[in-house]
Structure formats: C-alpha cells, structure tokens
Amino acid sequence: MPDERKKILEVHHLKQYFNVGKKDEVRAVDDVSFDIYEGETFGLVGESGSGKTTAGRSIIHLYEPTDGQIIFNGKDVSKLHTKAEMHEFRREIQMIFQDPYASLNPRMKVKDIVAEGIDIHNLAKDDADRTKQVEDLLETVGLNKDHSSRYPHEFSGGQRQRIGIARALAVEPKFIIADEPISALDVSIQAQVVNLMKELQEKQGLTYLFIAHDLSMVKYISDRIGVMHYGKILEIGPADEVYTHPLHAYTKSLISAVPVPDPEFERNRKQVVYDASREHDDKQRRMVEIAPGHFVRASEDEIPMYTKRAQEAGLVTDFPHN
Amino acid sequence: MENPENVIEVRNLQIDFHTYAGEVKAIRDVSFDLRKGETLAIVGESGSGKSVTTRSLMGLLAPNAVIKNGSIMFHGEDIIKKSEKEMQHIRGKDIAMIFQDPMTSLDPTMRIGMQIAEPLMKHKGLKKKEAIAQALEMLKLVGITNPEGRINDYPYQFSGGMRQRIVIAIALVCYPEVLIADEPTTALDVTIQAQILDLMKDLQNRIDTSIIFITHDLGVVAGMADRVAVMYAGKIVEYGTVDEIFFNPQHPYTWGLLNSMPTLDTEGGSLTAIPGTPPDLLDPPVGDAFAARSDYAMKIDTEKEPPFFKVSDTHYAATWLLHPDAPKVTPPAEIVRRQKKFAAMEKPEPPIKKETKE
C-alpha cells in the first residue's frame, strides 16, 4: 500500500556520536531512519538513555549529526548554511520541553516569553500587534490575557506547560517536537495538556514528534510509534498495532511493564523480561517491513519468525518481503 | 490502639503552614489506619497533602508547619508529642522512608556500603565490621550484581534504578515495622519501575513490613496496594480496598482520576480531563472542595462539607451523592464499565506474580 501522504520529515541513517574517536565514545543515536508524514503524530518511545531525546535534538539541529541525512520539507537540514536559512528552519520547527519549571526564564514576564519568537522573527507589525498576538496565543492554550504580565512562578505546572506551548505556537510552526511534555504533570492535568495538543493539531494542521516513555499515553496520542533501544529503532508501526501486537521482544517487554489502572489485570500481570544480549551477535540487521507499514529491525534469519508472529496476530496474510 | 491489627492510627490530623501570604491549611482533618503487613496507597495530585501527611509520621515537617490538631499513635504513643531526640530513635529504625529522587537522597561523598551500614551502627549498636557485613547481605537482597565488588563504590557509579535499590537497602536494613515510600518509582523507567515494585513486594513478604505508598500513578497503585486512600485538597475523600476504589468508586474526584487515564481499551477521541486546578488552601472552599471542578456538584456541595458515607465495611466516601436524599446520577461511561465489572467480580485471589522469559 503506497503512502500518498506528504512526508514532512525524513530521517535517513542518522548517527549522533559523542566523543568521537575517544575511549568513551557514545553512540547515542546509531543509524536511525524514519519518516513523519504531514499532520500525523509520530511517537518515539524508549527508556532513558535510549537516544530518543538526542534524536529529537539532532533533528532540530541543536547538535551537528555525525552522519546521516535529515530532510525537512524537501530540504536537507545539514545543508542549511546561511543564517537566514537556519532562521527559517527554526521558525518551522519548534520544541516543547519536559520540565515546565526549567524551560521558562523566571525573570521574564509571560508576554515576553511567548513573544520571544515573534521578536526574533519580526512577526509583529508594532507593539499593539505584538500584544494582540500574545493575547490570542494565551487564549488558544486556555490561559487568559491577564496572565500576560505575570511571571512563571505564579503558575502551576500544567499552566506553565501551556505557556511553553503558546511560545512554540507563536512563530506558526509546521512541526513540533514535544520532548516528554507531560511527564512532569499530574494525571488529571496530563489529560488536559494532551487534549489541548490534539485540538491544536486538528485546528492548525500541526505535525508532532512526541517523545516519551509513557507508552499508554504515547499510544493514545500517536498515529505511529517508533520504539528505540540503545540508539537504534527496533520497531515502527501503526500505534494500535505496535501496542496490541508488538513483534519485537523488546517492545513486548516494554509494554508488559506498563502499570495498568486495573487491579484485576495487575494481579495477572505477566512481565516479559528482555535479554539485550541477543542483539550483540554480529549479525547484520536492518528494518524489514513485516506487515504493511510495520517494520522490525531483524537479521535475515529472523524474518520468518517475525512473519510468523505477524501472521498469528492476523496483521498479515500473505505479504512479500522486500 | 483501637484495633490490635493497626500499626499506626492517625486521627483528626490538621496541619497548617505559615507562609508570607497567610496560613496554608495543608492537612484538613485526616484520619486513617495502617494495618500490619498491608500496603496502603495514598493517591492524589500535587498539593493534595499526601506527602505532608507522611512527613508528619516521620517528624520531618518543615519548620513553618504547625500541627493544629490530631494524633498519630504508634506503639500506643503519640508521635506528635515526641521530641526530636526521641524521633531520631524511631526514624530509620521503626519507621523508614524512601524518597522519590534516588539522585538526591544518597550522600554523594560516602561509599554506599557505609551508607547502608550507618543505621545499623546508630540504631543497633553494631561494630563497623559487623554492620558492613550486614550491608553486604542487604545489597544481595536488593539485587545488586557483584555486591562484594561494588560495596565500596560511590552513588555516582550507579544507574538510577540501582541507586533506588540502594536507597531501599538503607531503608530496610533495620527491618522497620513501617516503610513510607514517597513516589519511589516516579523518576524511573517503566521496566526498572516494574523491577523495583517487585522487589518491594518481595521484601515486604520477607520482613513483614507495613507500607504506606504515595503516588499519583494509578497503574502503580493497582499493582501494589491492598487498600487505597484518595486525597484531595488536604482531605481524604474516599478510601477502601483496591478493588473497591478501582471498580466501585463513589467520589466524583475518584471518577475523574480514573477517567483521565488512557486504559488498554481507550481508543481515539479525547481523554476526559478534570477541568480547572485544585483550590488554593490559603482559603479552602466551603463544603466539598472538589465541587468547583465536578460535573456532579449539587447546591449542598458548596454549603456543607460531606461526611463519610459507608459503602461497605471497608469502603467509605465523603460525597453528598451517597446521601439517601441525593438524586441518582450516572457516572462517566468508564466508571459504569468498571462498576459492572465489580458487580460480576468474585472474591479476588491472592496476588500471584508470573514471569515469562523471552
């Protein structure tokens, strides 16, 4: 089934190494490839140290990638050399951060935090226009305009995250990287922020890269999910499919560890333990499309096993390998 | 003690904090029991008072806190009336605590073996050599690989999950009667969290500790707790067995909490968030504090505080909806689904943990 949708972001063989050539070289992101289609939410999940945050930061070009290609809207990001090009790129991609306390400057008023992007990109005609834009943005994220002259410490965690979202929206981006945007929030507030993000996506046609470790929330907000482990993506597929019929053993173990608010389920929980050593057998592995749109990182001799799993799960009847 | 099975009895606890803005009424008349060998989960949002409640059990309240009223009975004595010196004999020995952040609750300049041995030397009067030997046993018990080789390492040499195991080792080394775990796994990854929770359950069985487990993660509560108390705005609004709270909740706040989480069955559409934010406890609202955020609020909720209504011998909820004169309401669909399950439920079997290796 060829996908007709437009790819807004293509990541090809991205490698992000730190301390290259030294004894303590870290391969934080190691040969990662994925595409994100316009208007969708792509969830990137993994444990701490899996490289999911680094991948996000490489995409927005906060790091210079060691190798690989990042193509945003048809343009190769690493070839954006002039300041003006970089400027335009940074306007189109914005980021929402995990910690709503650390990501807002405590000495700036909300209106100046939200308007920082507007100022940098000269998006306001005059002061009155700037004020109006800020007030509209605050309203969009469910705050009110009286809040604009307050400081971050006067807000709760959920409200601060709304300010962070307003700041990201201020430059009218196409693509937002949300790095664990709800992990620091209370359960009841998490739902508020997730609902707000979904609503904004519908209204403004945004595309999200949603980075998180909370699989139940990622599954809920994402159209597709990529699972990262030790710098590599092990499985990519439609969110529901990955969650209900994971093919890779690591994805299974990750899902089996998610606590479910159901005591009956918890009493019968079967925890699957993943043995990472089986990845270190010097076999060549690549992403193989096991079921339509569902990729698993596999070696040649593992393909039949994954195909069998997919068949048993009813994901595929007769699907040719590429 | 009213009930010989109780290890701790908290009665009518009321705690204020003096701040520059006025008196914050953080704990407003909280009573609960902790039974021998059980895990009691206290759930609620930040600011609901769950951490303050447990800090008062440890005598670790901030200097601007004032205990206005109430008692905390432990071994027939009121902890509130104890001096700091007396508390030092209880803390770490009879009542121990695990904090949320394993990065900051260890001393970065002290070898971990010594940190585990310290309570033994202080409380049990062990010599250093004996204490270190026991610390080694404890490291084995909490599943640190190669304990002999690592006992002289410093905290920075361990990962987050391993550090939390060390924190647990310190807390349990004196075999405390009561363990207070304040969000012990919130900072950890899910797979590591699952390991730590298993470890806590296993150790609880071995040394017969009663656990007070504080968390906002209802998934963790479902797996850990025997009983659950739901706190909101400085009060307990509902308490019962874990099945009663998850499958037959009565308070609209408990409904809202359960409803705002995606479950295995949640499909697209939007999550049902609880609107608004918790009230400011400088000036707590009259009546049911949750009324302003509740779709089910009635006129009386803004006038008079609801008492606890009995649902079963073990299950109580403070909501006017349970008053005989209250109109019948239909809870959110997710809650109705849960209540149907409750009606069909048989007596739960004891928890069995299964592991399959892949």
Side-chain angles (χ1 to χ4, degrees):
Chain A
M1 184 174 65
D3 213 311
E4 301 292 326
R5 292 173 299 171
K6 185 182 164 231
K7 289 175 184 173
I8 191 166
L9 180 80
E10 296 168 54
V11 177
H12 298 301
H13 304 289
L14 176 68
K15 290 179 186 165
Q16 185 73 61
Y17 298 174
F18 296 102
N19 305 331
V20 178
K22 291 189 194 143
K23 206 170 66 184
D24 54 349
E25 183 178 281
V26 175
R27 300 186 169 186
V29 177
D30 198 7
D31 198 9
V32 158
S33 304
F34 59 91
D35 299 327
I36 298 180
Y37 298 98
E38 193 157 31
E40 78 165 347
T41 300
F42 185 82
L44 197 55
V45 293
E47 298 175 75
S48 32
S50 63
K52 55 190 194 301
T53 294
T54 306
R57 288 170 165 244
S58 302
I59 289 166
I60 204 167
H61 224 71
L62 287 174
Y63 302 130
E64 188 70 43
T66 312
D67 196 15
Q69 240 187 346
I70 295 160
I71 295 170
F72 180 73
N73 246 343
K75 276 186 225 154
D76 189 336
V77 174
S78 57
K79 298 213 171 76
L80 302 176
H81 291 310
T82 67
K83 216 174 172 184
E85 283 173 329
M86 206 60 218
H87 218 62
E88 179 58 22
F89 171 69
R90 287 259 162 86
R91 195 177 75 79
E92 289 181 330
I93 296 196
Q94 283 289 309
M95 202 150 177
I96 301 171
F97 297 93
Q98 173 172 3
D99 188 341
Y101 294 85
S103 59
L104 302 178
N105 186 338
R107 305 209 287 191
M108 278 166 84
K109 285 184 179 163
V110 167
K111 63 179 169 198
D112 297 317
I113 290 173
V114 173
E116 204 169 10
I118 297 175
D119 297 341
I120 289 170
H121 295 283
N122 294 319
L123 300 177
K125 289 194 292 280
D126 48 41
D127 264 3
D129 184 32
R130 180 180 187 264
T131 309
K132 174 148 193 330
Q133 284 190 30
V134 169
E135 287 176 1
D136 289 349
L137 284 161
L138 289 178
E139 201 171 299
T140 308
V141 299
L143 297 170
N144 71 54
K145 59 182 181 187
D146 307 337
H147 289 144
S148 66
S149 53
R150 296 193 193 167
Y151 289 94
H153 77 259
E154 296 173 76
F155 295 89
S156 66
Q159 286 175 319
R160 284 181 211 213
Q161 205 54 301
R162 288 172 192 269
I163 298 170
I165 294 172
R167 171 174 63 183
L169 292 175
V171 295
E172 293 171 5
K174 295 194 176 86
F175 186 82
I176 290 181
I177 298 176
D179 189 357
E180 303 257 16
I182 54 167
S183 324
L185 306 175
D186 271 315
V187 185
S188 73
I189 310 295
Q190 284 186 357
Q192 288 182 8
V193 172
V194 166
N195 283 343
L196 171 66
M197 286 182 65
K198 276 202 148 186
E199 191 190 305
L200 292 170
Q201 182 169 42
E202 274 161 35
K203 278 192 198 147
Q204 312 195 0
L206 294 166
T207 308
Y208 291 133
L209 171 60
F210 194 94
I211 300 171
H213 69 271
D214 179 348
L215 267 161
S216 53
M217 205 49 108
V218 172
K219 174 214 155 210
Y220 169 75
I221 195 172
S222 307
D223 300 298
R224 293 189 305 130
I225 289 180
V227 180
M228 270 190 95
H229 185 56
Y230 282 131
K232 295 190 164 65
I233 289 191
L234 300 182
E235 184 162 1
I236 294 182
D240 286 340
E241 211 174 289
V242 170
Y243 198 81
T244 43
H245 303 294
L247 295 177
H248 199 286
Y250 176 68
T251 316
K252 285 187 182 182
S253 90
L254 203 56
I255 288 166
S256 79
V258 176
V260 178
D262 182 324
E264 202 173 52
F265 179 91
E266 286 290 324
R267 278 192 285 270
N268 301 310
R269 162 190 294 286
K270 285 193 190 115
Q271 175 106 22
V272 183
V273 178
Y274 175 64
D275 180 11
S277 63
R278 39 169 270 173
E279 300 291 316
H280 304 288
D281 54 3
D282 293 329
K283 276 185 197 156
Q284 285 291 322
R285 286 188 168 79
R286 62 186 173 96
M287 294 304 282
V288 182
E289 191 168 14
I290 299 289
H294 195 148
F295 298 80
V296 178
R297 187 180 160 82
S299 61
E300 289 304 320
D301 57 330
E302 287 169 345
I303 295 174
M305 173 187 78
Y306 285 124
T307 308
K308 193 161 162 272
R309 273 187 203 169
Q311 280 167 346
E312 280 164 7
L315 302 181
V316 60
T317 42
D318 183 30
F319 190 72
H321 297 303
N322 45 350
Chain B
M1 292 280 178
E2 290 171 23
N3 183 337
E5 274 180 44
N6 291 345
V7 183
I8 287 183
E9 284 175 358
V10 176
R11 290 291 173 272
N12 307 104
L13 191 64
Q14 202 183 329
I15 301 174
D16 287 2
F17 283 91
H18 288 300
T19 67
Y20 68 93
E23 288 203 348
V24 177
K25 293 161 192 72
I27 303 296
R28 306 186 296 143
D29 197 17
V30 161
S31 303
F32 65 89
D33 300 328
L34 178 68
R35 312 225 167 97
K36 182 134 194 65
E38 78 164 351
T39 300
L40 171 72
I42 303 182
V43 293
E45 301 179 60
S46 5
S48 62
K50 52 193 196 306
S51 288
V52 175
T53 304
T54 48
R55 278 175 179 266
S56 68
L57 301 185
M58 291 285 281
L60 283 178
L61 289 170
N64 64 337
V66 187
I67 298 178
K68 280 279 175 120
N69 192 16
S71 63
I72 302 170
M73 301 304 282
F74 177 68
H75 282 303
E77 287 174 57
D78 191 349
I79 283 181
I80 291 169
K81 299 206 173 81
K82 293 206 178 287
S83 67
E84 171 59 24
K85 203 150 193 168
E86 289 171 310
M87 277 316 290
Q88 283 177 4
H89 290 291
I90 295 174
R91 229 183 269 142
K93 179 165 157 273
D94 301 320
I95 307 178
M97 190 154 180
I98 306 172
F99 297 91
Q100 175 173 351
D101 191 350
M103 313 295 165
T104 53
S105 50
L106 292 170
D107 183 339
T109 67
M110 198 172 176
R111 297 177 198 276
I112 58 134
M114 200 53 212
Q115 293 194 49
I116 301 172
E118 205 178 22
L120 289 170
M121 289 153 67
K122 177 154 173 50
H123 293 302
K124 303 249 159 118
L126 262 61
K127 294 262 170 5
K128 190 175 168 187
K129 214 173 153 191
E130 300 163 329
I132 292 281
Q134 279 201 27
L136 187 66
E137 288 307 308
M138 210 60 209
L139 276 182
K140 284 182 193 155
L141 203 60
V142 296
I144 303 269
T145 42
N146 182 21
E148 290 87 358
R150 306 221 58 181
I151 193 161
N152 287 324
D153 283 356
Y154 289 96
Y156 78 90
Q157 292 167 293
F158 293 86
S159 66
M162 287 297 151
R163 278 183 227 188
Q164 199 61 302
R165 285 171 193 262
I166 294 164
V167 172
I168 291 173
I170 296 172
L172 294 183
V173 74
C174 288
Y175 291 6
E177 276 187 78
V178 178
L179 176 67
I180 299 170
D182 190 351
E183 306 257 9
T185 57
T186 307
L188 305 174
D189 279 318
V190 278
T191 51
I192 310 297
Q193 165 169 288
Q195 292 172 14
I196 297 287
L197 295 177
D198 276 352
L199 172 69
M200 287 182 64
K201 276 192 243 177
D202 180 47
L203 294 175
Q204 179 177 31
N205 289 335
R206 283 193 207 204
I207 66 178
D208 201 22
T209 300
S210 310
I211 298 180
I212 297 180
F213 199 102
I214 302 169
T215 180
H216 67 268
D217 187 333
L218 290 170
V220 172
V221 174
M224 285 298 286
D226 299 306
R227 292 193 306 130
V228 182
V230 182
M231 279 193 84
Y232 186 76
K235 281 175 180 293
I236 291 176
V237 295
E238 182 164 8
Y239 63 95
T241 66
V242 69
D243 284 339
E244 285 167 338
I245 297 297
F246 280 85
F247 294 125
N248 192 27
Q250 300 295 326
H251 198 284
Y253 178 62
T254 318
W255 294 350
L257 276 183
L258 286 167
N259 214 12
S260 60
M261 286 190 80
T263 60
L264 288 174
D265 318 311
T266 308
E267 295 293 327
S270 77
L271 290 173
T272 323
I274 303 177
T277 46
D280 185 353
L281 293 180
L282 268 174
D283 185 19
V286 182
D288 186 337
F290 186 61
R293 298 172 76 190
S294 172
D295 292 339
Y296 300 91
M298 297 176 289
K299 190 160 171 276
I300 191 167
D301 281 319
T302 56
E303 291 165 356
K304 200 160 181 256
E305 198 186 310
F308 274 111
F309 290 94
K310 181 174 168 176
V311 184
S312 79
D313 283 344
T314 46
H315 186 187
Y316 292 80
T319 166
W320 285 115
L321 290 177
L322 290 172
H323 191 274
D325 295 343
K328 269 261 173 246
V329 297
T330 312
E334 163 67 14
I335 304 303
V336 173
R337 183 187 74 79
R338 284 170 180 269
Q339 288 177 340
K340 274 190 190 137
K341 203 165 169 182
F342 186 75
M345 258 167 94
E346 292 172 30
K347 231 180 142 33
E349 290 165 42
I352 306 163
K353 192 93 187 175
K354 291 174 197 145
E355 268 202 8
T356 51
K357 254 204 159 74
E358 171 111 13

